[in-house]
Amino acid sequence: MGMAPVAHVLFNRFMNFNPKNPDWLNRDRFVLSNGHGCMLLYALLHLYGYALTIDDLKAFRRVDSITPGHPEAHDTPGVEVTTGPLGQGISNAVGLAIAQAHTAAVFNKPGYDLVDNYTYCFMGDGCLMEGVSGEACSLAGHLQLGNLIAIWDDNRITIDGDTNQAFTEDVLKRYEAYGWHIVTVLDGDHDLDKIADAIQKAKEVTDKPTLIQLKTTIGFGSKKQGTHDVHGSPLKADDIKQLKEKFGFNPEESFAVPQEVYDLCHKTSAKGAAKEEEWNQLFAKYAEEFKAEHDDLVRRQKGDLAEGWEKHLPVYTPSDPAVASRKLSETVLNKIFEAVPELVGGSADLTGSNLTRWKGAIDFQPPATGLGTYSGRYIRFGVREHGMGAIMNGMAAYGTLIPYGGTFLNFVSYAAGAVRLSALSRVRAIWVATHDSIGLGEDGPTHQPIETLAHFRALPNCMVWRPADGNETSAAYYVALTSKHTPSILALSRQNLPQLEGSTIEKAIKGGYVLHEVEGADITLISTGSEVCIAIDAVKELKEKHNIKARVVSMPCMEVFDAQPKDYRLSVLPDGIPSMSIEVMSTMGWEKYSHEQFGLNRFGASGAYLDVYKKFEFTPEGIAKRAIATVDFWKDVPNIRSPINRAFQQLI
């Protein structure tokens, strides 16, 4: 209730939007960073004519409603990004602002300001406390994003009570140090003109994002206004009654909206529809003069890739040299960057290690800095993994870009909250996660991921790729780029990997395939990434020294493999033969595909990577030893069933 006055001013006096077309490219974006105020957002969407009815509002937080407990972009028309966890929304807003600035720099021409929208964000004290917001807002200040206006609901209340218990810093000085423009409104409960003046002043500052400190009263009008008792708790009946009477409503009516309110809101929406029609006419004229750019922008908004882009993916043969998969990733980026112009991203201060920058790339930077331009496609995210992830979600939500971000696989865990929202939001964001195992060597256990893949493989609607060679790396990029509604994590090696006999892009895009087949096999070895080539070497060890026949399955992406038809999955992991997984990570999750698991359920060790692999027996001999034990254990078991053949098998 405390933010209702500013919402009224913002939506009626400033924002451009058309509820009849929530996807209009040049609409102003509105982000509710503090998801606890989502009923205010739903009410606004209803009043202005989005596809939300009174019954939808009554169904708030009910199963299968389009008004969930926190805003979800794929559920509710008019919701731009999925928020709720504090700090994520403002960070998404930074991503939306970056995407707008880049899209404008690429497509706007003299006389054709196609893309000039603003991103507005409501944020609370909790958002300001979360570290992710500081990461994102620091970068926003550096990038001079004058198209971003954040409105701070400064009501001095959190769930525990008054902010004086834990949050007494000078927020304005902090944001001023970030490079933001600062405006204060002392009476956000009543002074609509001052609110409007503050927003107008923010729009006039084009080289800085703006933070508007709006002093409000939480639960404004309630008997318990100004206290934490109204934070997330429903008002009692007598309080609701006096509140309605105070504001001139019939206390006996519920969900009743005066017609004059609808009329006012619909008048604003009609102005937005007229603005879109003007824009459509401008865009049609643009098409006559800049047809290629017009067609490219239309294609991007559909989420489609340019025809034939996949022909640029590199293909390898066993005669090609061994190369680290992080280097193979760099090769893919160099090959496709012109064919996929919407691919925009960077690294969290690990460019030289992640190899995420293609030759000739221009940095995305404010032109005034001399470091790049807004049309540049390489973003220096700085040491801000969590902020990078949340920013990528906003960039993806804008609708014209495919974002990617690089860091070490172990440090994707810093960004777990943002990755989770990528999956929930169904956005196409790509993590280039290098240094993927104990194979990174001397940096030791602090940097060696053990549980990371199990964590993200457990996340619904998230593809985790761990390619074993060049063709599998190309396949990972192919599926990541063509999956419009799913984020991807590409786990890539530091050490060199050989190009494997039997690997192809066509096979690898199924997520798992038979790399080495042998008639009358005694065991199936299943592996990923850098362990696949060791499994191949173990085949020779088993055959020559122990007369055991082994077949090898490469499983670069479990989630994609799970989506294949059951007949195909059983052809890869058939009945009648025991299987053993091999991966230098936690074994958690592998029981879904193998009878036995060889992994690393402890932290790693410092040392040269070959020495570390040898220490933990990830060698042909170590694999062979465990394969022999598996064959011996299962040899007397009749009718061995594949782990695929279970009565109840959860699939993505």
Side-chain angles (χ1 to χ4, degrees), residues 188-317:
D189 298 332
H190 304 93
D191 201 338
L192 304 187
D193 288 338
K194 284 289 177 60
I195 293 172
D197 288 345
I199 297 172
Q200 183 57 42
K201 288 177 182 176
K203 295 185 68 173
E204 291 169 1
V205 176
T206 59
D207 62 348
K208 293 181 179 182
T210 293
L211 176 67
I212 298 176
Q213 179 193 33
L214 185 68
K215 291 187 172 292
T216 63
T217 303
I218 191 170
F220 178 59
S222 163
K223 290 181 178 179
K224 295 185 177 181
Q225 69 174 25
T227 72
H228 70 108
D229 293 330
V230 291
H231 192 296
S233 299
L235 302 181
K236 294 182 179 180
D238 65 323
D239 199 359
I240 295 174
K241 181 179 180 181
Q242 70 84 26
L243 189 64
K244 289 180 178 180
E245 291 173 343
K246 184 181 297 182
F247 290 128
F249 292 97
N250 185 340
E252 305 304 321
E253 293 180 338
S254 297
F255 292 94
V257 180
Q259 187 59 45
E260 58 264 36
V261 175
Y262 280 126
D263 291 344
L264 174 66
C265 295
H266 291 171
K267 183 179 178 181
T268 299
S269 298
K271 290 179 181 177
K275 283 185 177 292
E276 185 191 358
E277 182 54 35
E278 290 177 11
W279 186 91
N280 289 336
Q281 293 174 15
L282 182 67
F283 195 38
K285 189 177 178 183
Y286 180 88
E288 297 173 2
E289 195 169 345
F290 304 101
K291 186 178 187 307
E293 290 86 346
H294 170 275
D295 293 349
D296 185 26
L297 188 53
V298 169
R299 175 188 62 76
R300 292 190 189 199
Q301 291 179 81
K302 293 177 181 177
D304 297 335
L305 298 173
E307 186 175 352
W309 76 273
E310 70 280 0
K311 296 176 183 177
H312 296 269
L313 289 169
V315 178
Y316 298 85
T317 67

Side-chain angles (χ1 to χ4, degrees), residues 82-142:
T82 299
T83 58
L86 298 181
Q88 295 290 335
I90 179 60
S91 305
N92 295 164
V94 174
L96 287 164
I98 287 173
Q100 186 279 329
H102 177 78
T103 305
V106 171
F107 290 100
N108 286 1
K109 306 292 182 183
Y112 294 97
D113 289 334
L114 291 177
V115 182
D116 60 1
N117 69 278
Y118 283 83
T119 296
Y120 298 96
C121 179
F122 285 2
M123 60 191 296
D125 293 300
C127 300
L128 289 164
M129 292 187 217
E130 288 287 358
V132 64
S133 68
E135 293 181 23
C137 290
S138 171
L139 183 59
H142 165 75

